[in-house]
């Protein structure tokens, strides 16, 4: 599972918005929070909105719901800080602590992360627009567990966010409102979000992913993330 | 494309067979729309009559089916609103209206269909591929 956010804007960019102008409250930057399954290229969850911790929590909660609460996952993201508390809030279970003898109330329970869940981050350092250093860190889980998860994966041998970044690029090509270096942009939130959901649905159900194709006897059979994988 | 009656379900919120396909409660009963191209469906359970397009993006659509589908295909392939309007000969507000309609349908469909079970190896067909060796740093 890979989490990321994709920037776009509605009306005008955030720096050009006047905080005192009520009309500008409905304009500014928009971040589509995305969860993707790298093995099937499936867009699992899409949460458009501001880049806040609440939206990160929504994304993680929605992902947990759609995966049936399973915890044997390798989650990767960039170093956007709200993901760590959001994942902890969604997946941690409470373990009661024994009460000490004598007066006093019972201590608060410990929050323990599942042993089989692994969350790792990728931090890229850029210099003059080029990546010069990549630092990977395990936030939840152990290095041994991470190695086992990577061994099980059919597409990755290292912690990365390449698949969600690639999906972001594909989506930018499919949605004129989020294409960079053009004059296209959304003027209203409702249309922006509608287009985001339409493109997300189209990506899952209608978009043949080149790297998912399967060789057959007389060529290749193309596959789409949702329709041909499940 | 004409779908068989088994693909439809009653859309009446008060009907006890609402949303259930293949119950035998539906039958085609006449035509509507310009040129009488749209089939009407009758529900024996609630005695309601509705268009075969009800519950889809094409419901109450004044555009021809091909043009409406083409409009969404233009949008899906990265064509802007105004460019789509120019190419298809429709108003740009028509394009945005269809985007809003399609988005409103896409969101619940995504909620209904997209779920992923990572431990279910039998459900997914995993591709076999040759991986490039990636340079990694020790953690």
């Amino acid at each position: 599972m890979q989490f990321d956010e994709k920037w776009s804007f509605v009306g005008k960019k955030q720096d050009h918005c006047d905080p005192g102008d009520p009309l500008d409250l409905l304009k500014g930057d928009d971040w589509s929070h995305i969860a993707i399954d790298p093995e099937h290229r499936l867009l699992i969850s899409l949460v458009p909105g501001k880049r806040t911790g609440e939206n990160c929590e929504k994304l993680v909660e929605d992902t947990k719901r759609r995966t049936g609460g399973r915890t044997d996952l390798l989650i990767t993201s960039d170093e956007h800080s709200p993901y760590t508390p959001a994942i902890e809030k969604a997946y941690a279970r409470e373990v009661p602590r024994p009460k000490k003898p004598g007066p006093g109330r019972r201590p608060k329970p410990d929050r323990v992360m599942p042993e089989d869940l692994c969350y790792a981050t990728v931090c890229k350092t850029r210099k003059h627009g080029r990546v010069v250093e990549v630092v990977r860190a395990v936030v939840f889980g152990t290095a041994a567990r991470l190695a086992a998860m990577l061994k099980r994966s059919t597409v990755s041998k290292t912690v990365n966010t390449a698949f969600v970044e690639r999906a972001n690029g594909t989506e930018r090509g499919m949605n004129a409102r989020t294409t960079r270096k053009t004059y296209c942009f959304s003027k209203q939130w409702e249309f922006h979000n509608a287009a985001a959901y339409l493109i997300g649905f189209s990506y899952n159900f209608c978009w043949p992913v080149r790297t998912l194709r399967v060789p057959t006897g007389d060529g290749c059979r193309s596959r789409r993330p949702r329709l041909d994988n499940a | 494309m004409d779908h068989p009656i088994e693909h439809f379900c009653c859309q009446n919120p008060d009907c006890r067979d609402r949303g259930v396909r293949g119950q035998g409660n539906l039958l085609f009963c006449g035509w509507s729309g310009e040129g009488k191209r749209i089939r009407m469906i009758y529900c024996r359970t609630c005695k309601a009559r509705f268009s075969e397009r009800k519950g889809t993006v094409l419901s109450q659509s004044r555009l021809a089916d091909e043009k409406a589908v083409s409009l969404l295909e233009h949008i899906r392939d990265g064509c802007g609103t105004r460019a789509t309007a120019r190419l298809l000969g429709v108003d740009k507000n028509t394009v945005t209206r269809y985007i809003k309609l399609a988005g409103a349908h896409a969101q619940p469909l995504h909620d209904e269909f997209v779920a992923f079970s990572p431990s279910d190896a039998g459900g997914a067909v995993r591709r076999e591929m040759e991986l490039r060796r990636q340079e990694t740093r020790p953690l």
Side-chain angles (χ1 to χ4, degrees), chain A residues 89-120:
Chain A
K89 186 179 176 186
Y91 285 98
R93 57 188 171 84
E94 293 188 345
V95 177
R97 285 192 293 178
K99 186 178 179 299
K100 290 179 182 173
R105 64 186 174 187
R106 182 174 284 278
K108 287 181 180 176
D110 279 333
R111 291 183 68 79
V112 180
M113 290 297 289
E115 288 180 359
D116 51 353
L117 186 136
C118 212
Y119 171 51

Side-chain angles (χ1 to χ4, degrees), chain A residues 40-41 66 72 158 202 211, chain B residues 76 111 113 119 124 127 134:
Chain A
H40 306 96
R41 315 295 196 273
R66 289 178 195 277
D72 55 339
T158 181
S202 171
T211 48
Chain B
R76 190 198 71 184
D111 286 342
F113 288 127
S119 286
R127 75 197 176 101
Q134 299 173 5

